[in-house]
Amino acid sequence: MTTTVAVRSEQAAKPITDRPKRTFPWKSVIRGAIIPAAIIAIWQILSSNGAISETLYSSPWNILKEYYELTKTGELPHHLRISLVRASLGFLFGGGAGLLIGLLVGMSRPVEEVVNPTVQMLRTIPLLAITPLFIMWFGFGELSKVLLISLGAFFPMYVNTFLGVRNVDAKLFDVGRVLEFNWWKRTTRLVLPAALPNILLGTRLSLSIAWLCLVVAELLGAESGVGYMIQDARSFVQTDVVFVGITIFAIVGKLSDSIVRVLEQRLLRWQDSFKG
Amino acid sequence: MTTTTKALLEIDNVSKIFRNGASTTHVLDRLSLNATEGDFVTVIGPSGCGKSTLLKIIAGLDTDYVGSVNIENRKVDRPSQEKGFIFQEHRLFPWLNVESNIAADLSLSKPEVRERVNELIKLVKLEGFEKAYPRQISGGMSQRVAIARALLRKPKVLLLDEPFGALDAFTRAHLQEALLEIWQTNRTTMVLVTHDIDEAVFLSSRVVVMDAKPGRIKSVIPIDLPYPRKRTGTAFQDLRTHVLRSLEHSETEEPSYTI
Ligand SMILES: Nc1ncnc2c1ncn2[C@@H]1O[C@H](COP(=O)(O)OP(=O)(O)OP(=O)(O)O)[C@@H](O)[C@H]1O
Ligand SMILES: [Mg+2]
């Protein structure tokens, strides 16, 4: 008797919907915009007053105008496109290798013992120290740039994937055995989804490092790209253009990070961790 | 051969020793047990007597033992879907919702899988929760999902290791009835490990009482009560006392079962 009641009450409970409705977080966006908005306002006021030199410090308005000019001449889209291709290629190669090797090392102790010490050793070498070697071996061409970015993107992805795999609940492996998962299913149905939170974190870190390495590569020597545009403008003291380059780096960097975060929210809906 | 019905599960002289460096633990000692098709065997015994070890051996999760375990005359040498396993914790995949957890590696877009999953959701009474994630449902519901996941594979034997141990008395009683219903519909052979004498007498056709150190079978008590059983009946109480006596007889350490 009592048990029937239990069943009823459970079923009468509102069925759980797949996705709770989320409204756009206006409040937190506004809060986050306070400091940047204040800085921009003060900067504009100071340069309009002539309190600071416009040639040396530029002004928000001049930068906006420069954006418009550079877009109209097609210069900015051209450099941006080239930079994006370099960064994406580097991220794809480096991040992809990090994911793959991190998975293999995470899933097998022997592979870990062979591979991990070397990777950890390489990780401690500052990237800038290797750059001269890259230039000597591969010249100033695209190859050395993409390789440098790949190398930078590799490590955060590798470390986080490896950590993620090692954090998989060992008890779930028994479930996989009972359900007769083969190696492929164990990897794709068990290890990858379980390690996904770490892999996504690795993706974010990896993306930002790829972006960083891109700047380094382009500042060191290039005939195109946003980094080159900055370098070129510097020699002609075109502060506005330098600022355009800097802000475009910031905007694209933030944008790519936001994309991964949206991805995180969608893919990790199953997690019940503290959300703040 | 004097047996009338053919044994589906045959455990013959199984011994198991754990070696940890220099120390060895003799966990199971020449244990033999048979179960026919549609049997409901409950294994009860003091903590540490090797019940979980025995289930893992039957499941093929542990193959390092002496003796033989056969299912339908075939030696068990690895885990397979014909041996369903329900763990003490539900062990669902937290990133899959209820119906995807039941399907696991099978595709819900296949009509035959879809149909079976829907049937099972009805059987374990989880309609309306198909899309919920494990974190959104209770422990009892999770355990029912785990049972459905195992049943989808049409196991010949369902092995349950204290599946309701972590649940409150109310949910436990409800799940026991659900399990009986499933057993009566599917006639799946059940091997259940429990600490709960009440549960053992309520569910099974035979109660196997184990002895500890080394683990061996102390007695097998047939429960010849018609289903559905009433926990309050005198026959039920007598059998309960019988199981309890048999257990107490072997106790040297503190009792670990509930009454
Ligand atoms: N991996 C292991 N290595 C060494 N000893 C083990 C291992 N697993 C279990 N044992 C030992 O085997 C014995 C039986 O363990 P088992 O888990 O089968 O007991 P159990 O009857 O299921 O106990 P409980 O009722 O508490 O779950 C215990 O004494 C335990 O210490
Ligand atoms: Mg146990």
Side-chain angles (χ1 to χ4, degrees), chain B residues 48 51-53 88 161-162 193 195:
Chain B
K51 304 182 293 293
S52 298
T53 308
Q88 178 158 7
D161 192 359
E162 297 182 46
V193 164
H195 271 138

XYZ file of all heavy atoms in Angstrom, chain B residues 48 51-53 88 161-162 193 195, ligand 2:
70
model
N 32.886 -8.935 4.985
C 34.234 -9.406 4.683
C 34.325 -10.893 4.412
O 35.418 -11.437 4.288
N 31.463 -11.984 -0.178
C 30.263 -11.965 -1.035
C 30.513 -11.174 -2.311
O 30.190 -11.638 -3.412
C 29.086 -11.345 -0.268
C 28.776 -12.035 1.048
C 27.593 -11.428 1.752
C 27.825 -10.010 2.248
N 28.832 -9.925 3.334
N 31.080 -9.995 -2.152
C 31.360 -9.183 -3.342
C 32.380 -9.874 -4.230
O 32.264 -9.853 -5.462
C 31.884 -7.812 -2.941
O 30.922 -7.123 -2.203
N 33.378 -10.482 -3.594
C 34.386 -11.213 -4.358
C 33.729 -12.308 -5.191
O 34.033 -12.471 -6.372
C 35.408 -11.823 -3.384
O 35.884 -10.789 -2.526
C 36.561 -12.449 -4.121
N 26.556 -1.561 -5.760
C 25.931 -0.943 -4.590
C 25.568 0.512 -4.867
O 24.491 0.966 -4.521
C 26.878 -1.023 -3.388
C 26.297 -0.354 -2.155
C 26.920 -0.852 -0.869
O 27.876 -1.614 -0.891
N 26.375 -0.441 0.247
N 24.823 -6.577 -6.044
C 25.661 -6.478 -4.850
C 25.122 -5.387 -3.926
O 25.396 -4.214 -4.112
C 27.104 -6.168 -5.257
C 28.070 -6.345 -4.085
O 27.596 -6.678 -2.978
O 29.274 -6.143 -4.279
N 24.356 -5.809 -2.937
C 23.725 -4.877 -1.999
C 23.147 -3.662 -2.716
O 23.492 -2.515 -2.396
C 24.745 -4.415 -0.948
C 25.250 -5.549 -0.098
C 26.229 -5.074 0.964
O 25.908 -4.068 1.620
O 27.277 -5.694 1.141
N 23.250 -10.197 -3.277
C 24.008 -10.140 -2.033
C 23.359 -9.086 -1.152
O 23.017 -8.002 -1.625
C 25.480 -9.761 -2.303
C 26.173 -9.321 -1.034
C 26.216 -10.933 -2.922
N 22.712 -7.608 3.225
C 22.946 -7.684 4.672
C 21.624 -7.786 5.409
O 21.590 -7.875 6.620
C 23.652 -6.401 5.145
C 25.127 -6.489 5.079
N 25.912 -5.461 4.632
C 25.971 -7.496 5.369
C 27.173 -5.835 4.667
N 27.232 -7.067 5.112
Mg 30.634 -6.353 -0.467
